[in-house]
Amino acid sequence: MSRYLAPAGLEEALVALAGGARPVAGGTDLVVGVRQGRFPIPDDLVAIHRLAGFRGIAEGADGGLVIGAGTSHAEIVAHPRVTRDWTGLADASAIVGSPATRATGTLGGNVANASPAADTVAPLLCADAVIVCRSTAGERRLPLDGFATAPRRTLLRPDELIVAVELPAPAPGSASCYVRLEHRRQMEIAIVGAGALLRLEGGRVTAARVAMTALAPTVRRVPEAERILLGSDGGAAAVTAAAEAVAAAATPIDDTRASAAYRRAMAAVVTRRAIGGALARARGETVTIPASDTLFGAA
Amino acid sequence: MRYETSFRLNGTPVSVSVEPSRTLLHVLREDLGMTGTKEGCTDSECGACMVLLDGEPLNACSYLAVQADGREVTTVEGLSAPDGSLSALQRAFLAHGGVQCGFCTPGMLISATALLARDPDPAEETVRAALSGNLCRCTGYQGIVQAVRSAAAEIREG
Ligand SMILES: Cc1cc2nc3c(=O)[nH]c(=O)nc-3n(C[C@H](O)[C@H](O)[C@H](O)COP(=O)(O)OP(=O)(O)OC[C@H]3O[C@@H](n4cnc5c(N)ncnc54)[C@H](O)[C@@H]3O)c2cc1C
Ligand code: FES
Ligand code: FES
């Protein structure tokens, strides 16, 4: 016999969580997971789609962005600041599932679910995202880097809700890109994916972030690749070496989508395209969103 | 425990008492008799179950009915006029061979309706992307894409 609550106020939701309820936002992971038998339907559910202030994107005073955890992928892709300054995130949200998945699925759900193939996490890692968590005990702000600890495991406590994802202002001259390899363009999950953020100053790379998707138990940054790019001219040699570093750091699995060997082989290709897309954007060139479509078939 | 769930269904207020674990698809079909919306995969893959929730396409097979409380749900039954006359989109599906067995058609019409509300003149690629969550085993999609573009033109020209 399950219990259900759909409050408009955050406090009421947090009290329910403290009492053992499980949150549901769009339900695109939760309801599907229940039906596939991955876990039972939680006995006690608190729907968070009605929470005031939970949905929407606000500009921070410092030029950063605060994305409400209940914001849908469709709303993220439609936001002009996101498409201009956090282009890698737009690349990712634009390819989540189908139009229906993007209208219903939320950013908070994608992060909380902690799938090794979650598309928004690599670009959020590149953007130095901070996860804002709330419980009846108060607020915690956790860096996304390290937030996922294992497949479907995070640092979030059962009584905590992700309320927002904060993105600091992007540095001038920086740009980002997210690329995913898939069997078809839509309604897919990444075989492998890669996110990159590069800052170019006077022809030199002065900041670099590289993160890999579906290549490790969690989506994670690859510091080896970032070190190779940092201080380089962003030329072919550095980009290739960084992409090879991602392939070397990858610990992919065999599953129905692809073999581990194929994933490792494609890791370098996809990373090269993501870095190439970020560099092109940093130089002021246009790489249409989503980059996966644009760069498909690129060298 | 059951929860009283009230929403507007094709413009008419409805109220049903549902278990929180039940999906919107099952409540529409089994409790409200709205069988136009189909059940294909029950796994968010095929799009046969699509409805509009507050104007946006939704896989009703994977959405909890209780979460529809206070909202606006449109099913294929709500696309035609009250006197039963078909919408421009529905007529175009018939005219262009966008329907064969008809099982995917309600979902296709829902996705296409959402698209045309947003984009009155979609390019072919845009139509294909908008319908990417809807599978059809019969038509080969060409007639469906043509139908959507032709309906868009008819609506634009008034
Ligand atoms: C057909 C289909 C295609 C998909 N394609 C993709 C894809 O291409 N890429 C991709 O990355 N994902 C994909 N997904 C997965 C899913 O749609 C996304 O992860 C989505 O962002 C989840 O959001 P939600 O609001 O629906 O999450 P829910 O299902 O509501 O929740 C997911 C989990 O997170 C918890 N949770 C949700 N919100 C919060 C919060 N604010 N605080 C704390 N915990 C929370 C829930 O308790 C649950 O455990 C797909 C899913 C489907 C059904
Ligand atoms: S029945 Fe819902 S997507 Fe197939
Ligand atoms: S007409 Fe038969 S599935 Fe599309």
Side-chain angles (χ1 to χ4, degrees), chain B residues 77 79-87 90:
Chain B
E77 289 91 341
L79 299 184
S80 52
D83 68 359
S85 56
L86 301 181
S87 72
Q90 289 171 311

Side-chain angles (χ1 to χ4, degrees), chain A residues 61-142:
Chain A
D62 60 347
L65 220 54
V66 182
I67 307 180
T71 308
S72 71
H73 296 288
E75 289 166 321
I76 289 170
V77 188
H79 197 277
R81 278 299 306 283
V82 176
T83 52
R84 193 187 76 193
D85 294 334
W86 288 276
T87 321
L89 176 60
D91 288 330
S93 278
I95 57 175
V96 169
S98 70
T101 323
R102 294 192 285 278
T104 312
T106 64
L107 187 65
N110 199 229
V111 170
N113 200 50
S115 158
D119 283 310
T120 65
V121 177
L124 289 176
L125 283 170
C126 291
D128 293 332
V130 171
I131 306 303
V132 186
C133 314
R134 282 285 300 273
S135 70
T136 50
E139 182 176 293
R140 290 201 297 164
R141 299 172 75 258
L142 301 172

Side-chain angles (χ1 to χ4, degrees), chain A residues 111 113-118 121 125 147-154 212-221 249-253 263:
Chain A
V111 170
N113 200 50
S115 158
V121 177
L125 283 170
F147 184 71
T149 52
R152 307 199 179 268
R153 293 268 176 284
T154 69
M212 59 182 180
T213 308
L215 284 165
T218 61
V219 182
R220 69 166 183 84
R221 279 172 60 182
T251 52
I253 56 163
R263 283 200 161 94

Side-chain angles (χ1 to χ4, degrees), chain A residues 35 187, chain B residues 25 37-50 58-62 103 133-135:
Chain A
R35 211 187 12 261
M187 292 298 286
Chain B
L25 176 65
T37 307
K38 302 303 178 202
E39 176 162 23
C41 63
T42 325
D43 199 22
S44 292
E45 294 289 339
C46 73
C49 64
M50 262 184 209
L58 174 81
N59 292 108
C61 72
S62 302
F103 199 80
N134 298 86
L135 301 184

Side-chain angles (χ1 to χ4, degrees), chain A:
Chain A
M1 185 106 352
S2 19
R3 267 197 337 135
Y4 173 79
L5 192 71
L10 180 61
E11 280 313 310
E12 207 183 327
L14 296 179
V15 168
L17 288 186
R22 174 104 179 264
V24 57
T28 61
D29 273 315
L30 188 108
V31 181
V32 172
V34 166
R35 211 187 12 261
Q36 292 176 345
R38 281 192 273 124
F39 37 80
I41 180 106
D43 228 23
D44 200 349
L45 270 178
V46 56
I48 50 183
H49 66 279
R50 292 186 59 226
L51 291 185
F54 192 60
R55 186 167 193 162
I57 301 178
E59 308 205 17
D62 60 347
L65 220 54
V66 182
I67 307 180
T71 308
S72 71
H73 296 288
E75 289 166 321
I76 289 170
V77 188
H79 197 277
R81 278 299 306 283
V82 176
T83 52
R84 193 187 76 193
D85 294 334
W86 288 276
T87 321
L89 176 60
D91 288 330
S93 278
I95 57 175
V96 169
S98 70
T101 323
R102 294 192 285 278
T104 312
T106 64
L107 187 65
N110 199 229
V111 170
N113 200 50
S115 158
D119 283 310
T120 65
V121 177
L124 289 176
L125 283 170
C126 291
D128 293 332
V130 171
I131 306 303
V132 186
C133 314
R134 282 285 300 273
S135 70
T136 50
E139 182 176 293
R140 290 201 297 164
R141 299 172 75 258
L142 301 172
L144 177 62
D145 200 350
F147 184 71
T149 52
R152 307 199 179 268
R153 293 268 176 284
T154 69
L155 295 177
L156 198 68
R157 292 192 295 251
D159 66 339
E160 274 178 321
L161 206 57
I162 299 176
V163 290
V165 175
E166 287 180 359
L167 304 177
S174 70
S176 61
C177 185
Y178 177 71
V179 176
R180 154 182 113 172
L181 178 70
E182 67 255 295
H183 289 299
R184 51 178 181 163
R185 287 272 79 94
Q186 300 244 349
M187 292 298 286
E188 259 292 17
I189 289 174
I191 298 171
V192 299
L197 177 143
L198 279 304
R199 183 180 188 190
L200 279 180
E201 287 177 291
R204 290 276 141 197
V205 174
T206 58
R209 297 274 184 280
V210 178
M212 59 182 180
T213 308
L215 284 165
T218 61
V219 182
R220 69 166 183 84
R221 279 172 60 182
V222 187
E224 305 88 314
E226 295 174 354
R227 275 197 296 275
I228 291 168
L229 290 167
L230 198 61
S232 79
D233 61 356
V239 173
T240 303
E244 294 300 335
V246 169
T251 52
I253 56 163
D254 284 305
D255 69 9
T256 52
R257 261 186 204 85
S259 66
Y262 180 68
R263 283 200 161 94
R264 193 185 296 281
M266 291 304 106
V269 176
V270 168
T271 306
R272 207 163 60 226
R273 288 183 193 168
I275 296 172
L279 281 169
R281 284 171 174 164
R283 293 191 188 107
E285 298 160 24
T286 301
V287 178
T288 316
I289 299 164
S292 281
D293 289 8
T294 314
L295 302 176
F296 189 65

Side-chain angles (χ1 to χ4, degrees), chain B residues 44-141:
Chain B
S44 292
E45 294 289 339
C46 73
C49 64
M50 262 184 209
V51 301
L52 296 178
L53 181 67
D54 294 334
E56 298 291 342
L58 174 81
N59 292 108
C61 72
S62 302
Y63 200 70
L64 299 177
V66 279
Q67 286 193 273
D69 186 60
R71 302 167 83 178
E72 183 90 42
V73 176
T74 307
T75 66
V76 68
E77 289 91 341
L79 299 184
S80 52
D83 68 359
S85 56
L86 301 181
S87 72
L89 199 55
Q90 289 171 311
R91 278 185 275 112
F93 266 63
L94 291 173
H96 291 269
V99 184
Q100 284 186 25
C101 81
F103 199 80
C104 71
T105 312
M108 289 285 181
L109 288 168
I110 288 291
S111 285
T113 299
L115 168 68
L116 296 188
R118 200 173 339 109
D119 183 350
D121 189 11
E124 176 175 338
E125 275 315 297
T126 311
V127 174
R128 289 185 183 276
L131 300 180
S132 59
N134 298 86
L135 301 184
C136 176
R137 300 193 60 174
C138 305
T139 65
Y141 299 98

